[in-house]
Structures are given as structure tokens and as C-alpha cells.
Amino acid sequence: MLLLAVGVVTYLMPSYFREVIYAPKPSAKKKETRIKHRSLPSVMVRHHLSTLQSATLLVQTYLMPLFYVAIFITPVLTSGVSFTQLSSDYFGVALVAGAMFGGLSCTANTFVGVGVSLERSDLIFIKSLPINLKGFLVQKYLVLVSLQASVPALAYLVISLFVLKLPLVLTLAFLVGMLAVIFLQGQWFYRRDVRLLDLKWQDVTQLFNRRYGQWLTMVSVFVTLIVGMLVFAATLYLGQLLNNVFLANSLVTLFLLAIGIINQFIIYRLFWDPLSNQSSFL
């Protein structure tokens, strides 16, 4: 009988019965696992971050702005020019300089220029979900532009305060100009990415080359440099012409503010407003 019982247990009893019979008794004190519930916006933010894993894209977005600032700062440091005694009345000049660096930091080859296409087939799936597509794209842009602007802003803040030793007012004006241009100009490249949407790319450089993308980047850099230098020189000349540096810089600041408001109004009417109709996308 003993041998028969052993045979039944060994060969005939299902494995899960053996596991139940011979499993160790659970301890009385069992830790309860806590399930973390995340809101939809936080889940979407994590999703946006997960699409930014291309080393090439990271280099284009973060390394190039630092490369530009190194080109401009090196001659200043070697010449021994000091900015510690520079008057805060030149806040308009600092604003223009920041706007110029913001334009150099935001091209078609950065986060905002390819962010929507990075979704690939996930975008089609997201569009099928009962969520607002415009809200999704707005949130994605805010995440992308925040990430894109954060590293250059931090680097320029450190360089302005501790290397160039600019007054705080000029440093803040520089950062405001840079962040404003990245935010405004980035929307145009974001719109371009949506219009040239490519969800079947194999390498991220394919997104850079869409519709003469490399040429567009080169032209935007040169135009930014030329226009920035002209406005920079015009601001200095206006201060001498009016014999009032503060007034000249105030006028230039108001002029740039008006340009920014007009730009935002145009991009909203051309891009963001039509997105309310989801059938017009994809």
C-alpha cells in the first residue's frame, strides 16, 4: 500500500496538487504590496520621455547650443573684457543676445522638430483612445520644449553669472529672450513635423532630412545670426542716437514683445486652433 501511495503521488497527482500539499505555509505577517496609481497626465509625460532615446537627437539638441556659446565666449575670455561694471540699462541688448542664442538652440533637428514623428505607431493607437488629441499634442510640446530649453538655460545661467560675471538684470534678460524664442520658434518646427509626419522611419536622421531639413537648419542658423547681429547693433546705435540707453533698450524690448505676440497669434491660428478638429489630423 505504501508503494502504491508513493506511485500515485509521484506519477498520477498533478503537479499543482503537489505544490499545494508541499508548499510552505505562508507567514502570518505578510507585507501588503502597494499599487501606485498614476494620473493620465503623469503617464503621458513618462510616455513622452520614453520616446527621447536617440543619442544623435540628444547631441543635436543639447551639444550644439553649447558649441555655439563656446565659439562666442572664447574670444571674449581671451581678450580680457570685463562685464562686471556693465550698466543694467542694456537689458534690451541682453534680451536680443538671448533671443539670438535661443534661435540657434531651436532647429528642425531638435526635440520639437521631430517629437511627434518619434511616436511611430503609438500615435495611431493614441488617436484611437478616448482622449483629446489636441491636449495630447499640447502637453507633448510643453514637455519637449521644456526639456530642450532646460540644459542651455542652466548652462548659460552659470556662464553668465560665474564666468562672464554679468549683472543679474542682464542675465535674467538674456534668459528671458532665449526661452521666449525657443518657445515661439519651436512651435513652427513642431508644426512642420506634424505636416511632414513620418511614422515609419528607421533611423532618426531620416527625420532630419525631410523636405530639405538639413538645408533648413543651416539657413535658420545663418538668418538667426544675421538678424540677431543687426538688431544687436541697431539697439546700440539707437542708444547713442537718442542719447538715452534706457529708453532705447525699452523701445527695443517693446518691439520684440510685439513681434512675439504677433508670432504667437499667427501660429495659434495656423496650427493650434485647427487641431481642435481631430479629423483634420492623421
Side-chain angles (χ1 to χ4, degrees), residues 226-245:
I226 293 173
V227 174
M229 291 295 185
L230 289 176
V231 178
F232 187 90
T235 306
L236 295 176
Y237 177 75
L238 185 62
Q240 295 181 348
L241 184 65
L242 299 176
N243 197 25
N244 191 325
V245 175

Side-chain angles (χ1 to χ4, degrees), residues 67-131:
F67 175 74
Y68 292 132
V69 75
I71 293 177
F72 284 95
I73 286 182
T74 301
V76 174
L77 295 178
T78 55
S79 62
V81 178
S82 176
F83 296 97
T84 55
Q85 302 300 323
L86 188 62
S87 174
S88 297
D89 291 344
Y90 287 96
F91 61 90
V93 175
L95 188 71
V96 173
M100 183 173 65
F101 277 97
L104 295 175
S105 303
C106 185
T107 65
N109 297 348
T110 55
F111 289 164
V112 294
V114 299
V116 182
S117 293
L118 292 177
E119 292 287 340
R120 287 186 168 179
S121 59
D122 290 342
L123 186 61
I124 301 176
F125 172 73
I126 290 172
K127 187 175 183 293
S128 66
L129 297 176
I131 62 176

Side-chain angles (χ1 to χ4, degrees), residues 5-6 9-10 13 15-25:
V6 172
V9 172
T10 305
M13 187 178 292
S15 61
Y16 59 87
F17 278 114
R18 294 203 306 269
E19 293 176 0
V20 171
I21 294 174
Y22 298 109
K25 295 182 179 180

